[in-house]
Amino acid sequence: FDEGAPATEVVDSISPFRTGNIISASWINRGSSPALWFNGVSSYVIAKNFGLDLLDEMTIEAFVRSDGATGNDMIVNSGSAFRLWIVADSGTLNLNFAVFHSGSYDGVSASYPLDGQWHHVAGTYEGVVSGTMKLFIDGLLVASKPHGNGPGSIPANNPQKVSFGVALAGVDLFNGGIDEVRL
């Protein structure tokens, strides 16, 4: 998300280049870096040409600033493969990371700071080695557990898309800023 205004698409930095259409999100600054602000109602990014091969392991990371989740606020979603999101639960926020394999989702969760500041968040999956899912906030391990189905690969999702700031079904819109997403 380094394009900045007036860009209407984001482009990844790895060839073959994949793009994402920016829908109603606004460009803001995170320090001296452009970032996208999502309004929690109608803004998101849908990546095109983002099919993924079978994943034996993976990491999702981003800088995130929550402006107050009211339900599930999706950061990154691939439908039937993986997701990273913040959920509001009885006045607290929780960061969640889940992966799908062998027929079901499983995930890890940890408290997310309610301070309105930018935080680096990451979810990792050690698929075929141990099946362990880990969640990090600002570089600190905050949750870890093995997938309930044990070790295994995340299935390929080609030609399924990847979304940012929304679930692929068009729900769970993010309210806040997202920057420097890496898969």
Side-chain angles (χ1 to χ4, degrees):
F1 295 177
D2 286 334
E3 290 75 9
T8 59
E9 286 189 331
V10 292
V11 181
D12 77 4
S13 60
I14 300 172
S15 182
F17 297 108
R18 294 168 285 221
T19 61
N21 290 332
I22 301 170
I23 309 299
S24 299
S26 304
W27 288 105
I28 61 171
N29 287 324
R30 182 180 63 86
S32 62
S33 172
L36 281 174
W37 179 77
F38 299 83
N39 64 18
V41 177
S42 60
S43 54
Y44 55 90
V45 173
I46 297 289
K48 300 180 283 185
N49 306 318
F50 208 99
L52 296 172
D53 294 330
L54 187 72
L55 298 170
D56 293 337
E57 58 186 30
M58 74 161 311
T59 299
I60 302 173
E61 63 181 305
F63 283 92
V64 175
R65 186 192 77 211
S66 176
D67 289 346
T70 57
N72 292 312
D73 277 25
M74 197 63 60
I75 300 167
V76 179
N77 178 253
S78 74
S80 62
F82 54 82
R83 55 184 68 152
L84 180 68
W85 76 104
I86 294 174
V87 64
D89 184 23
S90 301
T92 64
L93 296 182
N94 290 310
L95 178 67
N96 298 276
F97 170 66
V99 297
F100 182 91
H101 87 78
S102 301
S104 66
Y105 262 105
D106 197 6
V108 290
S109 181
S111 180
Y112 182 83
L114 287 166
D115 59 7
Q117 301 298 310
W118 288 94
H119 294 279
H120 182 264
V121 298
T124 66
Y125 178 60
E126 300 166 353
V128 296
V129 175
S130 66
T132 300
M133 301 167 292
K134 295 180 181 177
L135 192 57
F136 298 83
I137 299 176
D138 295 327
L140 300 174
L141 177 65
V142 294
S144 176
K145 77 171 204 168
H147 195 286
N149 289 339
S153 298
I154 299 171
N157 74 346
N158 199 4
Q160 190 174 16
K161 297 175 181 172
V162 174
S163 63
F164 307 92
V166 67
L168 286 172
V171 297
D172 302 334
L173 288 111
F174 189 81
N175 183 28
I178 301 176
D179 193 19
E180 299 294 332
V181 177
R182 293 183 64 184
L183 303 177

